[in-house]
């Protein structure tokens, strides 16, 4: 599933085509994706201008002049492409085709910018929902989400408070969207490796008995910031389905230091360890047992 850097990359790719532009026509070419479309889905979109295109955790959020917000989730295989001037072309120097089956083009937004934004989702695990902005905080899909890891309020003290007295593993805590929003398996593995912390370590060790942040918490927050910013700059990670809206592959997978490197020599200078893999909470965890403590 796309994680924060991939969703942020998609947001930036859609911004020029959608932000400040009116939805002249919207098409929902089936009755549902992961969930059924609302009965007034099309009616609440057409004629509305997108005043802002944001992101919350792994959700894209388009603010409309009506006061509604279009919430969009990519699911497992969802992707957007931008068609310019109806020519069917997609910009990008290193273009790679996505699904060639246009039967999976489930939602299309025809924008006043002259561009069309197409949502393609072969597995149909993605979804879209329109929510009134004034009740957004009560939306079940968003309620309870933790802080944004790249937000100003996310620091060692906040992470320590969230993990105080937690009896779960550090990796499980970081994957908990109530602790921090938007992190997934890949970037948690990478951040733990860069901070030299074991995924098996108790989450509670990020805080002292008084709830203050330990040195571990500071190192981990710095690693999270570093790996996410680097991944966004690289356009995210392309392992299976992720593509930029231009059709380009993301490149961060070439910068993985531990993820999917089972059996390879640890890249930490002077370590000499070997990257191992084990299953943790149903997900593959990659780590170096020698330098991650």
């Amino acid at each position: 599933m796309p994680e924060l850097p991939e969703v942020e990359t998609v947001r930036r790719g859609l911004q020029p085509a959608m932000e400040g532009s009116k939805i002249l026509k919207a098409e929902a070419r089936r009755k549902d994706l992961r969930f059924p479309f609302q009965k007034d889905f099309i009616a609440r979109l057409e004629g509305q201008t997108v005043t802002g295109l944001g992101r919350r955790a792994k959700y894209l959020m388009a603010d409309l002049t009506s006061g509604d917000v279009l919430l969009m989730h990519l699911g497992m295989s969802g992707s957007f492409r931008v068609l310019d001037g109806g020519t069917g072309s997609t910009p990008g120097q290193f273009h790679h085709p996505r699904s060639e089956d246009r039967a999976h083009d489930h939602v299309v937004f025809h924008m006043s910018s002259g561009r069309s934004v197409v949502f393609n989702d072969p597995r149909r695990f993605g979804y879209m929902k329109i929510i009134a902005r004034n009740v957004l905080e009560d939306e079940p899909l968003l309620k309870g989400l933790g802080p944004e890891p790249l937000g100003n309020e996310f620091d060692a003290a906040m992470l320590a408070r969230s993990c105080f007295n937690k009896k779960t593993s550090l990796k499980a805590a970081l994957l908990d969207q109530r602790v921090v929003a938007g992190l997934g398996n890949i970037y948690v593995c990478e951040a733990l490796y860069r901070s030299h912390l074991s995924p098996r370590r108790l989450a509670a060790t990020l805080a002292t008995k008084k709830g203050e942040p330990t040195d571990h918490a500071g190192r981990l927050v710095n690693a999270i910031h570093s790996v996410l910013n680097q991944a966004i700059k690289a356009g995210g990670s392309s392992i299976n389905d992720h593509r930029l809206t231009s059709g380009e592959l993301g490149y961060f997978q070439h910068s993985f230091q531990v993820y999917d490197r089972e059996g390879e020599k640890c890249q930490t200078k002077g370590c000499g360890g070997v990257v191992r893999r084990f299953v943790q909470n149903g997900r593959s965890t990659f780590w170096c047992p020698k330098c991650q403590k």
Side-chain angles (χ1 to χ4, degrees):
M1 182 177 291
E3 300 180 24
L4 186 153
E6 288 76 54
V7 178
E8 176 62 22
T9 300
V10 170
R11 186 194 71 80
R12 295 181 184 187
L14 291 176
Q15 206 168 16
M18 297 188 75
E19 201 166 78
S21 184
K22 182 181 290 187
I23 302 173
L24 300 178
K25 181 182 178 182
E27 300 178 58
R29 296 178 174 176
R30 54 178 300 115
K31 294 181 179 180
D32 60 4
L33 291 173
R34 184 174 177 182
F35 309 121
F37 288 111
Q38 294 150 298
K39 292 181 179 180
D40 57 354
F41 182 76
I42 297 298
R44 291 172 71 177
L45 291 175
E46 291 185 339
Q48 300 300 320
T49 297
V50 177
T51 58
L53 188 63
R55 178 193 54 76
R56 178 71 170 109
K58 301 175 186 179
Y59 293 98
L60 293 166
M61 301 173 66
D63 279 288
L64 308 176
T65 45
S66 62
D68 282 336
V69 176
L70 172 60
L71 193 74
M72 299 174 280
H73 196 285
L74 296 172
M76 295 291 291
S77 61
S79 63
F80 286 94
R81 70 181 188 278
V82 178
L83 308 182
D84 199 352
T87 63
S89 63
T90 54
Q93 185 177 1
F94 303 102
H95 176 67
H96 292 262
R98 299 182 187 83
S99 169
E100 293 298 325
D101 190 347
R102 295 300 178 241
H104 300 312
D105 288 351
H106 300 310
V107 182
V108 184
F109 305 114
H110 301 276
M111 310 300 298
S112 62
S113 62
R115 296 167 176 170
S116 294
V117 176
V118 182
F119 181 67
N120 182 288
D121 189 2
R123 301 182 193 177
R124 299 202 307 275
F125 285 152
Y127 50 91
M128 297 185 184
K129 183 177 182 180
I130 301 174
I131 308 161
R133 166 60 73 175
N134 60 3
V135 297
L136 200 61
E137 291 184 359
D138 297 322
E139 169 55 41
L141 293 170
L142 300 173
K143 199 170 185 179
L145 284 177
E148 288 288 323
L150 293 177
N152 293 331
E153 63 181 8
F154 181 71
D155 58 14
M158 172 172 279
L159 184 57
R161 287 195 300 271
S162 297
C163 292
F164 183 60
N165 280 338
K166 271 191 177 295
K167 305 303 181 185
T168 187
S169 70
L170 188 49
K171 186 186 178 190
L174 293 177
L175 289 175
D176 185 342
Q177 298 299 293
R178 296 168 297 181
V179 173
V180 56
L183 292 183
N185 194 45
I186 293 173
Y187 299 109
V188 168
C189 285
E190 289 292 312
L192 287 172
Y193 174 77
R194 295 182 186 205
S195 57
H196 302 295
L197 296 175
S198 169
R200 289 188 166 117
R201 171 184 282 273
L202 278 178
T205 60
L206 296 187
T208 67
K209 292 182 179 179
K210 294 182 179 180
E212 297 173 349
T214 63
D215 176 65
H216 302 319
R219 279 163 36 200
L220 183 53
V221 166
N222 289 337
I224 290 171
H225 287 161
S226 175
V227 72
L228 291 180
N229 282 319
Q230 186 182 350
I232 291 169
K233 187 176 181 180
S237 303
S238 295
I239 299 177
N240 294 314
D241 299 295
H242 174 64
R243 297 288 189 276
L244 314 189
T245 53
S246 64
E248 298 174 8
L249 286 166
Y251 289 102
F252 187 70
Q253 69 275 15
H254 302 302
S255 300
F256 288 166
Q257 294 184 11
V258 69
Y259 187 85
D260 204 25
R261 291 187 176 275
E262 182 183 11
E264 295 184 22
K265 185 178 178 180
C266 175
Q267 295 185 22
T268 299
K269 188 176 180 180
C271 173
V274 175
V275 175
R276 302 299 183 193
R277 171 190 172 274
F278 70 97
V279 177
Q280 188 178 24
N281 301 107
R283 307 294 299 276
S284 291
T285 294
F286 297 90
W287 72 311
C288 175
K290 187 172 180 181
C291 69
Q292 287 180 255
K293 302 298 183 181

